[in-house]
Amino acid sequence: MTGSTPDYDAYQSAFHAAFAPDLRGLVNDLPVRPDGRVLDVPCGNGFYTEMLARRLSPAGRVVAVDTCDEYLADTRGRLAAAGRDGEVLKADAYRLPFRDRSFDLVWCAQSLVSLDPARAVAALAAAVKPSGTLAILEGDEIRHVLLSWPAELEAALPAAVLLASAKRYGDAIKLSPARRLRRLLRESGFRSIRRRTVVMERAAPFDEQASNFLRQHFDFLRRDVYPHLPRSAQRLFDSRTDPDSAESMLRRPDAEFECVNVLYEATDRRAPE
């Protein structure tokens, strides 16, 4: 990928804006020394790269890698605005331009949907020092955003997500990469794997950032998942996502939602034979 940002950029940026305090706390809990060497790949627009850089002293180093020119420029701009140094490189996740076993922390956030998960995890694992950590934040679209939908719509959505994933990717759980992670980490040689469920909750009245995230989520569902819903569920979806409807999730005073992700921290990787 070069040049312009991918089609999921607005959705991902809305996620970052809506949950920035939660995500900052998560990054601040990652196991890295101030003088550590940290890799963020794919770095996207640098949202996490900046947070990681703030964890480091001048003796530490953050390295950000992506294939998108615009994202690389964004990342450089974020680091400069924060007054932080870092190395920003164009490369893909499968062919990292570093010696193996050279990073204390390798970070990968919500990127496996756009990658081959097995190849990416293997490449990321190879970059981790023997004493280091591979940390991967991922979601499962079947239960990624939990809303107080009508029961009939809530029951129909998971099956529609599976059908949408199969149609778009030829893989029914491609939109749920977290389900594969423990196996892939084991296959990559990690002997200690910690899984943490990250739940971020919001309740009405929603602020501008949470409302924008919901609108982006509704747009994603309407584009990819809606065609696979039964007609009765489509009508419910229409009423609950129409901003002019009194039943809209954006207007109901009792609306609430949880955004669920999982964080895997893998350590103690056995040496390659």
Side-chain angles (χ1 to χ4, degrees):
M1 180 191 301
T2 60
S4 61
T5 56
D7 59 5
Y8 55 77
D9 178 71
Y11 189 12
Q12 192 170 69
S13 295
F15 171 80
H16 293 159
F19 303 109
D22 310 76
L23 297 170
R24 185 174 297 108
L26 187 152
V27 169
N28 286 342
D29 286 341
L30 292 172
V32 59
R33 302 188 317 272
D35 62 348
R37 184 170 166 83
V38 176
L39 174 65
D40 181 11
V41 57
C43 65
N45 64 11
F47 175 80
Y48 293 108
T49 308
E50 178 193 344
M51 291 182 179
L52 291 165
R54 291 182 183 276
R55 294 283 318 274
L56 303 175
S57 71
R61 189 69 169 172
V62 67
V63 181
V65 168
D66 208 289
T67 58
C68 174
D69 294 326
E70 189 169 334
Y71 275 159
L72 295 172
D74 289 344
T75 300
R76 292 186 184 101
R78 281 182 181 268
L79 289 173
R84 298 285 169 162
D85 292 327
E87 190 174 358
V88 182
L89 303 174
K90 185 171 184 177
D92 69 42
Y94 313 125
R95 292 177 290 274
L96 296 170
F98 315 107
R99 289 182 299 175
D100 286 354
R101 302 158 71 83
S102 54
F103 289 92
D104 298 288
L105 173 70
V106 175
W107 169 256
C108 180
Q110 299 155 316
S111 297
L112 295 182
V113 168
S114 58
L115 298 170
D116 177 329
R119 290 178 63 203
V121 170
L124 297 176
V128 178
K129 288 181 178 180
S131 59
T133 300
L134 172 56
I136 302 178
L137 179 68
E138 270 300 347
D140 180 337
E141 196 54 53
I142 294 172
R143 54 191 180 209
H144 179 47
V145 181
L146 305 179
L147 284 134
S148 48
W149 299 111
E152 180 184 347
L153 175 56
E154 188 169 4
L157 278 168
V161 168
L162 291 174
L163 291 170
S165 184
K167 180 176 181 181
R168 181 167 182 176
Y169 299 105
D171 178 351
I173 63 167
K174 177 66 171 173
L175 287 170
S176 304
R179 297 186 177 219
R180 294 185 165 116
L181 265 175
R182 183 173 294 274
R183 174 178 60 82
L184 294 177
L185 291 167
R186 288 283 185 205
E187 291 174 354
S188 294
F190 291 102
R191 289 177 285 196
S192 177
I193 301 170
R194 176 191 176 203
R195 181 187 189 276
R196 173 181 162 195
T197 301
V198 181
V199 182
M200 299 173 288
E201 300 176 298
R202 297 292 184 269
F206 301 124
D207 61 20
E208 180 181 351
Q209 291 79 15
S211 295
N212 185 45
F213 171 73
L214 280 182
R215 284 190 290 269
Q216 291 293 332
H217 181 62
F218 295 158
D219 287 348
F220 157 73
L221 291 176
R222 181 171 292 281
R223 183 184 68 246
D224 288 1
V225 178
Y226 182 91
H228 303 284
L229 289 169
R231 184 63 191 132
S232 58
Q234 288 180 341
R235 288 193 291 268
L236 288 170
F237 181 88
D238 290 340
S239 69
R240 295 313 193 271
T241 60
D242 179 357
D244 296 324
S245 169
E247 293 300 311
S248 171
M249 291 291 188
L250 294 167
R251 298 182 60 185
R252 288 178 61 95
D254 61 344
E256 56 188 12
F257 71 94
E258 299 94 43
C259 186
V260 182
N261 293 269
V262 294
L263 174 64
Y264 278 88
E265 294 182 31
T267 58
D268 190 21
R269 183 171 181 255
R270 64 177 177 267
E273 298 178 358

